Amino acid sequence: MFGKGRGESEASGFKLIIFTDSEHAVPLVALSMAVSGLSFACRPHFSLRPPVFYCFRRNGLGSFAAIQTVDEPESAFSDIFRTLDTSHGKGSRVLGVKVGEGNLKMAEWKKIDSKDLGISTSKIAKPTKRVLNCLRKGGYEVYLVGGCVRDLILNRTPKDFDIITTAELREVKSAFSRCQIVGRRFPICHVHIDDTVVEVSSFSTSAQKFHRDLSHEFGRPCGCDEKDYLRWRNCLQRDFTINGLMFDPYAKIVYDYTGGIEDIRKTKVRTVIPAAASFQEDCARILRAIRIAARLEFRFTRETAHFVKNLSCSILRLDRSRLLMEMNYMLAYGSAEASLRLLWKFGLLEILLPFQAAYFVHQGFKRRDKRSNMLLEVNILTAQSSLFSNLDRLLAPDRPCHSSLWVGILAFHKALSDQPRDPLVVTAYCLAVHHGGDMLQAVKISRSINKPHESSFYELSEPQDLDSQMLIEEVMDLAASVKQALCDLTDEYLVSKAMSAYPQAPFSDLVYIPLQLFLKVRGVLECVVEGAEKGFVPKRHGKINYEALALGNLQEIRHTFARVVVDTIFPQNPT
């Protein structure tokens, strides 16, 4: 069904050349609407061959992507931790010695009363509590571990909860009626509680998933008991210090063996072991670092930032499905705008989203640029909004969207950046999507909007005096452009040409949008071309059903797409 894309490249490989750069380089319309696809006759190319990658990179801090090395100000959480710095909290213990980044010496150990960190067990999801209680009653040690502990300290809602236990996986499986052991190389248990899956790992098997055992390099610390030793060894294997925390919800103690609490206080992302070794061991950590920094508004330490940039091309070792998963974590969970800005700053956008990188270059964006455009917003206090900042305002770690929404937004924006359009045409298009292709209703509602549009986006041309027939024709032409843009995003040859106007720029033909996702996005948007869909009922209120949105419900995706676009074109305080 899908043949080669138009002008397909003879080689499916990836060639990356880094150049130097002195800069381091409720919706507007209470929509009596409440906002799937493009059954287009394009034939994008989805290569099944693993590409060969070539990366030529100049080392040093002066190369392509910028590194921010200035000291960060203390965060709003400084007061929480100031007492801990001097007293370590009531009931806390301190072992070991404090050391700096970039070596393998032991960090200071802290055992801190969770109350001193402001952790409330009421934030732990009920399915997670049921799993914890069951294993605890069985006589096993159980802990919450990783990012969920970090989020509890920051008073954020964790995306999910990871449990680690002294029980063997077979013992975990026997404790629950609906439980499977998944994964061959790195097995864990998936415990099904109602509609929720709780991940449980075992101390005995988690150590097997790493190629190193740093405890041998350190040697067993003097004065630590068996339980401390077990926890410490596991924490040494984690990616970042702020993820290397364990929380015993029964003893109400947080165990910090890697300096994670100090880095939370300093709003820093730091690798547990030297960053070069950490990223070479698992290059997916580079993308996780971007995601964590974007979501928490943290900054990288100097060493971490250096190797995020200089080892960026190593992410090409990842499977394309893994790349899609990591991109979805960045763009679908409420931190898309910050993620895109960091991907651009550290030279990863050229690899992952070359069309968007070309857009930034065309806009004259430097690596540390603080300006806004239609994709990015400086901050929420500015009058100007953007597509992804408006999307972020609707989402959260526990309220994500389906990946088809952000892919559709990228295709829509590419069409506009290729050919700017009248604001009325853009509005009518997104309302037609919302209404399942009902063009007459879309035109009627768009003409009723009397608010001024955002005038600073070059993607929006000067308004014209269009009669209804001309407006419909312009909307149909925009729909065709969006259709082509979606095809372009999945064509290796066209992706490889995205930055061709800039001969010093990196080269990428990486496509990780699979056929199934392409068809899903097409199904969201094609109604504008095909006409009103029989039986489709548009959303009649502004409240989003987040469960349906995450599952890719057609009504919710179309509603949210239209809401994001309309709020971007007609912000509260247009410039």
Side-chain angles (χ1 to χ4, degrees), residues 16 55 57-59 63 274-284 286-287 303-317 346-348 351:
L16 179 60
C55 179
R57 179 178 290 277
R58 296 184 61 174
N59 294 325
S63 62
S278 181
F279 294 151
Q280 286 170 348
E281 179 180 86
D282 181 2
C283 57
I286 293 173
L287 298 179
E303 183 199 24
T304 302
H306 176 79
F307 287 104
V308 164
K309 173 182 74 72
N310 282 283
L311 295 178
S312 60
C313 62
S314 67
I315 67 170
L316 298 168
R317 300 201 307 262
F346 289 98
L348 288 153
I351 300 171

Side-chain angles (χ1 to χ4, degrees), residues 367-438:
R367 294 298 175 179
R368 299 189 186 190
D369 216 309
K370 300 298 183 182
R371 292 176 296 159
S372 298
N373 57 35
M374 200 171 190
L375 287 181
L376 301 181
E377 178 181 274
V378 175
N379 59 62
I380 61 175
L381 299 179
T382 60
Q384 190 180 48
S385 61
S386 70
L387 289 169
F388 279 103
S389 63
N390 281 322
L391 178 64
D392 288 342
R393 291 186 182 103
L394 302 177
L395 306 177
D398 60 336
R399 299 196 310 270
C401 70
H402 190 271
S403 55
S404 60
L405 179 55
W406 59 261
V407 173
I409 289 174
L410 289 176
F412 165 77
H413 177 262
K414 182 184 181 305
L416 282 186
S417 62
D418 290 344
Q419 182 179 346
R421 304 280 180 167
D422 187 309
L424 182 63
V425 173
V426 179
T427 305
Y429 169 80
C430 70
L431 295 182
V433 171
H434 171 266
H435 281 82
D438 188 341

Side-chain angles (χ1 to χ4, degrees), residues 170-201:
R170 56 181 174 78
E171 294 171 322
V172 175
K173 183 177 180 181
S174 65
F176 299 94
S177 59
R178 299 172 60 208
C179 178
Q180 297 88 34
I181 298 176
V182 299
R184 292 184 178 180
R185 292 184 60 200
F186 313 134
I188 61 173
C189 278
H190 278 178
V191 181
H192 296 262
I193 305 294
D194 299 327
D195 296 328
T196 301
V197 176
V198 180
E199 290 191 359
V200 181
S201 60

Side-chain angles (χ1 to χ4, degrees), residues 23 34 67 99 113 123 223 255 308 364 432 435 485 504 532:
E23 290 296 333
I67 298 179
V99 297
D113 190 320
K123 285 186 173 291
Y255 298 91
V308 164
H435 281 82
Q504 289 184 295

Side-chain angles (χ1 to χ4, degrees), residues 17 33 77 85 104 137 144 155 260-261 281 287 294 307 324 339 354 381 403 415 418 455 457 540:
I17 301 175
M33 47 156 308
F77 305 104
D85 286 341
L104 291 178
K137 289 178 182 178
L144 292 176
N155 196 30
I261 289 176
E281 179 180 86
L287 298 179
F307 287 104
L324 176 63
S339 295
L381 299 179
S403 55
D418 290 344
S455 59
F457 297 143
R540 299 296 182 183

Side-chain angles (χ1 to χ4, degrees), residues 185-397:
R185 292 184 60 200
F186 313 134
I188 61 173
C189 278
H190 278 178
V191 181
H192 296 262
I193 305 294
D194 299 327
D195 296 328
T196 301
V197 176
V198 180
E199 290 191 359
V200 181
S201 60
S202 170
F203 280 106
S204 64
T205 57
S206 61
Q208 300 172 11
K209 61 193 243 187
F210 301 98
H211 303 297
R212 56 183 164 86
D213 183 358
L214 294 179
S215 62
H216 293 310
E217 299 182 44
F218 286 119
R220 179 166 177 159
C222 297
C224 77
D225 59 25
E226 287 296 330
K227 293 181 179 179
D228 258 327
Y229 184 59
L230 190 66
R231 290 187 294 259
W232 170 64
R233 283 188 59 186
N234 183 269
C235 289
L236 287 181
Q237 311 287 9
R238 300 198 171 268
D239 49 9
F240 305 105
T241 60
I242 59 177
N243 290 343
L245 302 168
M246 285 191 186
F247 173 39
D248 184 337
Y250 300 96
K252 299 192 184 312
I253 292 176
V254 173
Y255 298 91
D256 178 13
Y257 301 102
T258 64
I261 289 176
E262 176 72 6
D263 284 331
I264 290 176
R265 183 185 74 80
K266 292 182 177 180
T267 64
K268 294 276 194 176
V269 177
R270 182 194 310 269
T271 54
V272 171
I273 64 172
S278 181
F279 294 151
Q280 286 170 348
E281 179 180 86
D282 181 2
C283 57
R285 288 174 177 170
I286 293 173
L287 298 179
R288 288 205 297 274
I290 295 286
R291 184 208 329 154
I292 291 170
R295 183 185 164 216
L296 301 180
E297 298 181 27
F298 279 23
R299 294 186 179 183
F300 300 135
T301 60
R302 188 175 304 219
E303 183 199 24
T304 302
H306 176 79
F307 287 104
V308 164
K309 173 182 74 72
N310 282 283
L311 295 178
S312 60
C313 62
S314 67
I315 67 170
L316 298 168
R317 300 201 307 262
L318 295 172
D319 182 83
R320 295 188 185 197
S321 62
R322 179 62 183 274
L323 287 170
L324 176 63
M325 182 187 75
E326 293 293 343
M327 288 300 294
N328 194 57
Y329 281 145
M330 284 189 244
L331 302 182
Y333 286 79
S335 56
E337 192 273 344
S339 295
L340 287 174
R341 195 176 288 275
L342 286 176
L343 289 172
W344 169 245
K345 179 179 178 181
F346 289 98
L348 288 153
L349 198 68
E350 294 85 337
I351 300 171
L352 296 166
L353 294 171
F355 283 115
Q356 284 64 44
Y359 168 74
F360 287 164
V361 175
H362 180 72
Q363 290 276 293
F365 257 55
K366 303 298 183 183
R367 294 298 175 179
R368 299 189 186 190
D369 216 309
K370 300 298 183 182
R371 292 176 296 159
S372 298
N373 57 35
M374 200 171 190
L375 287 181
L376 301 181
E377 178 181 274
V378 175
N379 59 62
I380 61 175
L381 299 179
T382 60
Q384 190 180 48
S385 61
S386 70
L387 289 169
F388 279 103
S389 63
N390 281 322
L391 178 64
D392 288 342
R393 291 186 182 103
L394 302 177
L395 306 177

Side-chain angles (χ1 to χ4, degrees), residues 13-63:
F14 183 103
K15 183 177 180 182
L16 179 60
I17 301 175
I18 297 298
F19 63 92
T20 58
D21 181 0
S22 60
E23 290 296 333
H24 301 316
V26 179
L28 167 71
V29 189
L31 300 169
S32 82
M33 47 156 308
V35 182
S36 245
L38 283 148
S39 110
F40 305 139
C42 60
R43 296 166 63 85
H45 173 57
F46 298 89
S47 174
L48 299 178
R49 296 171 295 169
V52 179
F53 301 115
Y54 300 91
C55 179
F56 301 92
R57 179 178 290 277
R58 296 184 61 174
N59 294 325
L61 298 183
S63 62

Side-chain angles (χ1 to χ4, degrees), residues 33-39 401-405 408 430-437 516-528 530-540 544-563:
M33 47 156 308
V35 182
S36 245
L38 283 148
S39 110
C401 70
H402 190 271
S403 55
S404 60
L405 179 55
C430 70
L431 295 182
V433 171
H434 171 266
H435 281 82
Q516 184 178 11
L517 179 56
F518 170 86
L519 294 175
K520 177 67 177 180
V521 180
R522 193 178 73 175
V524 172
L525 303 174
E526 70 180 351
C527 58
V528 180
E530 298 295 325
E533 295 177 344
K534 293 182 179 179
F536 179 80
V537 180
K539 204 172 175 72
R540 299 296 182 183
I544 296 174
N545 181 331
Y546 283 99
E547 182 177 357
L549 182 65
L551 293 174
N553 174 271
L554 194 58
Q555 186 187 59
E556 291 296 336
I557 294 291
R558 287 175 172 173
H559 163 69
T560 309
F561 173 84
R563 181 168 174 173

